[in-house]
Amino acid sequence: MDLSQYMELAFREAIKAYEKKEVPVGAVVFDSSGHVVGRGYNQVEELTDATAHAEMIALTAAMATLGAKYLNDCTLAVTLEPCPMCAGAIVNAKVGRVVFGAYDPKMGACGTVMNITASNSLNHRPEVYGGILEHKARSLLEEFFRGLRDQ
C-alpha cells in the first residue's frame, strides 16, 4: 500500500468527525502487513475530553487489537500533523512510522512548530512523512472552520 492509500483511509475517519461537528481529523494504524489495526477520529466535543484526538483513539485501538503497548512495526496515518500531546503518545508507543496530510502551523509537533518525533533526547524517533494528500486534508479543515465562522 502506498502512502496516499493510508491517507485515504484516514480521510474517511476525518469525514466521520466532520459529520459530528468535530474538528475533522482522522487517523488509522496499519500493521506491517498493511492491515488496519486501529482507527479513530476526533471526539473531543462528543466525549467532552480534550485528549480525545484521532491519533490517541487510533493508537489505543491498535494496542488493544494487537495486545501490545508498542507499535514498532506499525504506521500511523493521520490527516493533520500531530500536536505535542499526540506526538508524545507516538513516541511513547514507539510507532514505527507516521504519515500525515496537512501541516499544522499552530500546534504541529512533527517539524512545523516543534519536532518531538525527532528529538534526540527521547528514546524513540519514528520515520515521519508529511504533506501526503495535504490539499485534501487542508480543504476539509478550511471548510469546517469556515462553517463555524459563518454561524
Side-chain angles (χ1 to χ4, degrees):
M1 195 181 287
D2 73 26
L3 299 182
S4 62
Q5 290 174 304
Y6 289 132
M7 288 304 302
E8 285 292 349
L9 291 176
F11 190 75
R12 289 182 195 168
E13 295 298 311
I15 294 295
K16 292 176 187 177
Y18 183 88
E19 290 170 347
K20 293 186 173 202
K21 298 185 179 8
E22 296 274 357
V23 175
V25 177
V28 181
V29 179
F30 300 87
D31 67 12
S32 59
S33 301
H35 297 106
V36 174
V37 294
R39 56 180 81 229
Y41 57 89
N42 272 2
Q43 296 179 51
V44 171
E45 302 301 327
E46 181 179 353
L47 299 176
T48 317
D49 180 354
T51 68
H53 289 195
E55 301 96 318
M56 303 296 279
I57 293 166
L59 291 172
T60 299
M63 289 181 268
T65 297
L66 297 172
K69 63 182 177 180
Y70 298 129
L71 302 172
N72 303 70
D73 296 326
C74 292
T75 297
L76 169 69
V78 59
T79 57
L80 180 65
E81 180 181 3
C83 72
M85 174 184 68
C86 294
I90 288 163
V91 170
N92 283 330
K94 299 184 188 315
V95 174
R97 178 167 63 166
V98 178
V99 177
F100 69 85
Y103 290 88
D104 187 344
K106 294 185 180 190
M107 292 288 286
C110 292
T112 300
V113 175
M114 60 189 72
N115 203 341
I116 291 172
T117 54
S119 174
N120 288 327
S121 300
L122 301 176
N123 66 344
H124 178 73
R125 287 173 296 288
E127 295 176 39
V128 176
Y129 303 91
I132 310 301
L133 297 183
E134 179 178 11
H135 178 72
K136 188 172 185 174
R138 178 154 316 287
S139 294
L140 184 63
L141 286 160
E142 288 172 350
E143 181 181 325
F144 175 79
F145 286 112
R146 188 171 30 258
L148 284 181
R149 284 190 300 276
D150 291 346
Q151 290 180 1

